[in-house]
Amino acid sequence: MAGEHLSREIAEQPEVLARLLNAGEPRIREIAAGLAKRWGDVAFMVIAARGTSDNAARYAQYLFGASNRLSVALATPSLFTLYESPPDLSRSFTVGISQSGASPDIVAPVKEARRQGAPTLAITNEPDSPLALAADFVLPLNAGSERSVAATKTYTAQLLAMAMLSASLARPEEADRRWRELSMVPRWVAETVGLAGQIGQQAERFRYLDRLVTSGRGYCYGTAFEAALKLKETCYLLAEPHASADFLHGPVAIIESGFPALLVAPTGAAFPDMVAFARPLGERGAELLVVSDSDEALGLARTPLRLPAGVPEWLAPIPAIVPCQLLALSLARVKGLDPDRPRGLSKVTLTY
Amino acid sequence: MAGEHLSREIAEQPEVLARLLNAGEPRIREIAAGLAKRWGDVAFMVIAARGTSDNAARYAQYLFGASNRLSVALATPSLFTLYESPPDLSRSFTVGISQSGASPDIVAPVKEARRQGAPTLAITNEPDSPLALAADFVLPLNAGSERSVAATKTYTAQLLAMAMLSASLARPEEADRRWRELSMVPRWVAETVGLAGQIGQQAERFRYLDRLVTSGRGYCYGTAFEAALKLKETCYLLAEPHASADFLHGPVAIIESGFPALLVAPTGAAFPDMVAFARPLGERGAELLVVSDSDEALGLARTPLRLPAGVPEWLAPIPAIVPCQLLALSLARVKGLDPDRPRGLSKVTLTY
């Protein structure tokens, strides 16, 4: 059956995440202790990443911002490679995120930050990669080899790794609660993986879909980007991600009757904003797909995609991407495409 | 004629930019002197902006990164408004960019940074706006009232204002050359405004266009975003912006025969990368629109959009957006739309 690798890798996620939680915890606590010794000068965080990993970095902006009071800048790799004019990173904590750890433009900022004396971390599935060798600290994802071009298990593992690191850097009075919540992640993801059959049916409706917009806010801003990317990679849709607030500053003009919009709207601080955004879209006749644990939000959707109850907002992006991965897989099959072999893409992309 | 405001405001740009250069220079030098006194603690820069202004902020990432060695983080406004959990900005230089200066989620980060003791700057067309009142320093754009919903002259004025600020903060041995180059900007923009008639004809071909991708890299990364936004606002296209490098990490799969791609590729350090990206797109049968001063790049295009010769790369984004603005205007007219009155948009958007 088409999409065999992708299907298996989506299903593997609960196991991959459980392994990272258990085996990764001592490593992450060790990294946090090592960082603590060098924390005095750190004024902000920089993350270098591309593609799927860049969507993980978008999550990190909210995660480390809200929980650890760190401003997170996404690196502009071309400053290091094309312009050879790197910014001052001496007071940064610089992190490179890459499944393969091979792309030169992700290695370059990490190398430069380390040269400038800043603490650096590599989050990668390949602990012997150039990225891993460049950084002071390495957090291996241990997700097993990923054969589908569309990354799934390495993405959720990247999110979990950063959530664990954030918990390790949190104030002690918060840390316990956060680790308790983290321990639930594999179960929540297993619940959403269980939607595979239902989403297989829901995807039928979209046989002739060729475009959609996706939207999320706050913690799930990156989820909207990652959902769009999966649909682009596997189904060749023109899929455009937005923050709901940015959307109202312009692109809302493109929405017309029947235009599809996928909204990621778990309950939490960003929820009222997402619902307030969904209503006018609905009134313009948009066709809504909604990923949420809220009956209210799901009730606005033609295609509801239900999340488990009780997930705290800071961890919602991990289960919330799973229905989107399943939709990308199912829709590719409905369209007669093989999502394991997208046109023009290879697993490891070397960019400069 | 439809698009009267938009057309006039595009044409006004040389005059608006000349005024900002002349009247704004003493003000910017004063701001730079004020900042210099408080520069000791500054480790990084934060910019809060949305929509068109956010595209100006993308330019700032390369500008201040390459020329002033500053890492630039784009603010995540919801951390300040929805989550009420602002990051530590005490060692930042925080800038808010907004035409109207009215949007609460742009005011909030500036207010908070100032409360934490960091130097703050407002770049706005409304010197009495809430944003201007919130900041230590105010740089008024003085662009005159902008009546078209699609921002044009305030966007190029924002770019120029930041380029002037960057020159003021540069090392003295560089500053003279940079101010000399800045003085040429109104002339270059006047040259591109002169393409209006030609672009009016070129737009005919795209009467039934409903989607395209845009791409740029480095300094012109934000230009690709702004070009896409103008086409979305005025023509309801699904227009997706990308860095060329990100594109190769996924979305390249969507390109098929006849798929239109608008590439912003002025000569400079990012140019070889853009040409190397254009070739495979052309081989897949993409229909290329290219904004460039290079015969080589223009030769790859079905629709060449020529930039003036001799523009240094750091200033190229200012003239480079103009053909894209003219294309948005002309294409809206070709499609029988009124670009001054896009569906569902108003000039001032209040988001939280």
Side-chain angles (χ1 to χ4, degrees):
Chain A
M1 196 172 190
E4 201 188 318
H5 295 314
L6 181 58
S7 170
R8 194 186 49 248
E9 287 161 7
I10 291 173
E12 272 172 28
Q13 292 178 103
E15 179 195 327
V16 167
L17 298 173
R19 189 162 63 225
L20 179 58
L21 258 177
N22 298 327
E25 185 180 335
R27 178 65 165 261
I28 284 174
R29 290 193 186 271
E30 203 179 290
I31 293 172
L35 282 173
K37 288 184 203 145
R38 302 175 58 181
W39 206 246
D41 273 351
V42 171
F44 67 111
M45 188 166 168
V46 172
I47 303 185
R50 282 209 184 274
T52 292
S53 306
D54 203 30
N55 297 334
R58 289 191 169 92
Y59 168 63
Q61 291 193 286
Y62 295 86
L63 175 70
F64 291 102
S67 305
N68 309 93
R69 301 206 64 214
L70 276 170
S71 277
V72 181
L74 304 184
T76 44
S78 62
L79 286 182
F80 300 84
T81 52
L82 303 184
Y83 294 104
E84 294 169 16
S85 181
D88 180 353
L89 298 173
S90 59
R91 283 174 286 178
S92 77
F93 163 42
T94 291
V95 179
I97 310 179
S98 166
Q99 186 276 132
S100 70
S103 197
D105 57 353
I106 304 310
V107 178
V110 170
K111 222 176 227 172
E112 176 63 22
R114 189 173 185 181
R115 198 190 63 75
Q116 293 184 21
T120 54
L121 168 67
I123 299 179
T124 177
N125 206 27
E126 300 293 344
D128 301 318
S129 61
L131 179 63
L133 298 175
D136 298 291
F137 303 100
V138 183
L139 179 45
L141 295 174
N142 236 321
S145 101
E146 189 170 59
R147 295 183 59 186
S148 172
V149 170
T152 53
K153 62 180 181 175
T154 56
Y155 174 70
T156 49
Q158 287 166 351
L159 298 189
L160 180 61
M162 289 187 298
M164 291 166 73
L165 180 64
S166 170
S168 304
L169 298 170
R171 291 188 300 268
E173 64 272 25
E174 276 189 19
D176 278 358
R177 172 184 59 77
R178 298 187 68 198
W179 280 100
R180 240 183 353 262
E181 291 171 348
L182 281 164
S183 72
M184 300 287 293
V185 167
R187 197 176 315 168
W188 292 324
V189 170
E191 258 189 67
T192 50
V193 166
L195 297 174
Q198 174 206 312
I199 291 175
Q201 288 170 5
Q202 287 171 310
E204 280 289 330
R205 181 173 177 86
F206 301 105
R207 168 66 178 91
Y208 289 101
L209 181 74
D210 61 355
R211 46 165 65 188
L212 93 168
V213 294
T214 65
S215 185
R217 197 160 184 209
Y219 286 104
C220 281
Y221 178 56
T223 313
F225 277 72
E226 177 61 8
L229 182 56
K230 289 309 100 167
L231 288 162
K232 278 185 264 198
E233 289 174 320
T234 60
C235 302
Y236 317 127
L237 301 187
L238 206 55
E240 245 203 316
H242 289 283
S244 53
D246 281 323
F247 206 80
L248 297 172
H249 281 261
V252 71
I254 63 173
I255 293 290
E256 59 197 40
S257 185
F259 199 102
L262 170 70
L263 309 184
V264 187
T267 49
F271 179 73
D273 194 71
M274 286 301 295
V275 170
F277 172 63
R279 291 199 191 283
L281 287 190
E283 283 157 18
R284 280 162 184 258
E287 162 128 2
L288 300 182
L289 300 89
V290 175
V291 178
S292 184
D293 55 320
S294 147
D295 288 334
E296 182 192 359
L298 293 169
L300 296 171
R302 175 65 182 72
T303 301
L305 300 160
R306 185 179 287 279
L307 294 176
V311 183
E313 191 176 11
W314 73 288
L315 293 174
I318 308 178
I321 192 59
V322 179
C324 309
Q325 297 169 340
L326 289 167
L327 183 67
L329 168 70
S330 301
L331 185 55
R333 286 173 169 171
V334 164
K335 285 174 170 285
L337 303 167
D338 183 351
D340 284 337
R341 291 174 194 78
R343 288 198 294 265
L345 288 179
S346 54
K347 182 67 189 164
V348 177
T349 312
L350 302 182
T351 45
Y352 296 85
Chain B
M1 197 172 189
E4 200 188 320
H5 294 314
L6 181 57
S7 169
R8 195 187 46 248
E9 287 161 7
I10 291 172
E12 273 172 29
Q13 292 178 105
E15 179 195 326
V16 166
L17 297 173
R19 189 162 62 223
L20 179 58
L21 258 177
N22 299 328
E25 184 179 336
R27 179 66 164 260
I28 283 173
R29 290 194 186 271
E30 203 179 289
I31 292 172
L35 281 173
K37 288 184 203 146
R38 300 174 61 181
W39 207 247
D41 273 351
V42 170
F44 66 112
M45 188 166 168
V46 172
I47 302 185
R50 283 209 184 275
T52 293
S53 306
D54 204 29
N55 298 334
R58 287 190 171 94
Y59 168 62
Q61 291 193 285
Y62 294 87
L63 175 69
F64 291 103
S67 305
N68 309 92
R69 301 207 63 215
L70 275 171
S71 277
V72 181
L74 304 184
T76 44
S78 63
L79 286 181
F80 300 84
T81 52
L82 304 183
Y83 295 104
E84 294 170 15
S85 182
D88 181 352
L89 298 172
S90 59
R91 283 175 286 178
S92 77
F93 164 41
T94 292
V95 179
I97 310 178
S98 165
Q99 185 275 130
S100 69
S103 197
D105 56 354
I106 304 309
V107 178
V110 170
K111 223 177 224 171
E112 176 63 24
R114 190 174 184 180
R115 200 191 60 77
Q116 292 184 23
T120 54
L121 168 67
I123 299 179
T124 176
N125 206 26
E126 299 293 343
D128 302 316
S129 61
L131 179 63
L133 298 175
D136 298 293
F137 304 100
V138 183
L139 178 45
L141 295 175
N142 237 319
S145 101
E146 189 171 58
R147 295 183 61 185
S148 172
V149 170
T152 52
K153 62 181 180 174
T154 57
Y155 173 71
T156 47
Q158 287 167 351
L159 299 188
L160 179 61
M162 289 187 298
M164 292 165 73
L165 180 63
S166 169
S168 303
L169 298 170
R171 291 189 299 269
E173 64 272 26
E174 277 188 19
D176 277 358
R177 174 186 54 81
R178 298 186 69 199
W179 280 100
R180 236 183 357 261
E181 291 171 346
L182 280 164
S183 73
M184 300 287 293
V185 167
R187 196 177 317 169
W188 293 324
V189 170
E191 258 189 68
T192 51
V193 166
L195 298 174
Q198 174 207 313
I199 292 176
Q201 287 171 5
Q202 287 171 310
E204 280 289 329
R205 181 172 177 85
F206 302 105
R207 167 67 177 90
Y208 290 101
L209 180 74
D210 60 356
R211 46 168 62 191
L212 92 168
V213 294
T214 65
S215 186
R217 196 158 185 212
Y219 286 105
C220 280
Y221 178 55
T223 312
F225 277 73
E226 178 61 7
L229 181 57
K230 288 311 99 168
L231 288 162
K232 279 187 263 199
E233 290 175 320
T234 59
C235 302
Y236 316 128
L237 301 189
L238 206 55
E240 247 200 316
H242 289 282
S244 53
D246 280 324
F247 205 80
L248 297 173
H249 281 262
V252 71
I254 64 173
I255 293 290
E256 60 198 37
S257 184
F259 199 102
L262 170 69
L263 309 184
V264 186
T267 49
F271 179 73
D273 194 70
M274 287 301 295
V275 170
F277 172 63
R279 290 200 192 282
L281 286 189
E283 283 157 19
R284 282 161 182 257
E287 162 126 1
L288 300 181
L289 301 89
V290 174
V291 179
S292 184
D293 54 320
S294 147
D295 288 334
E296 181 191 359
L298 293 169
L300 297 170
R302 176 64 183 73
T303 302
L305 300 160
R306 185 178 289 277
L307 295 177
V311 183
E313 191 176 10
W314 73 288
L315 293 174
I318 308 179
I321 192 60
V322 178
C324 308
Q325 297 168 341
L326 289 167
L327 183 67
L329 168 70
S330 301
L331 185 55
R333 286 173 169 171
V334 165
K335 284 175 170 285
L337 302 167
D338 184 351
D340 283 337
R341 293 174 192 79
R343 286 199 294 266
L345 289 179
S346 53
K347 183 67 189 165
V348 179
T349 311
L350 303 181
T351 45
Y352 296 87

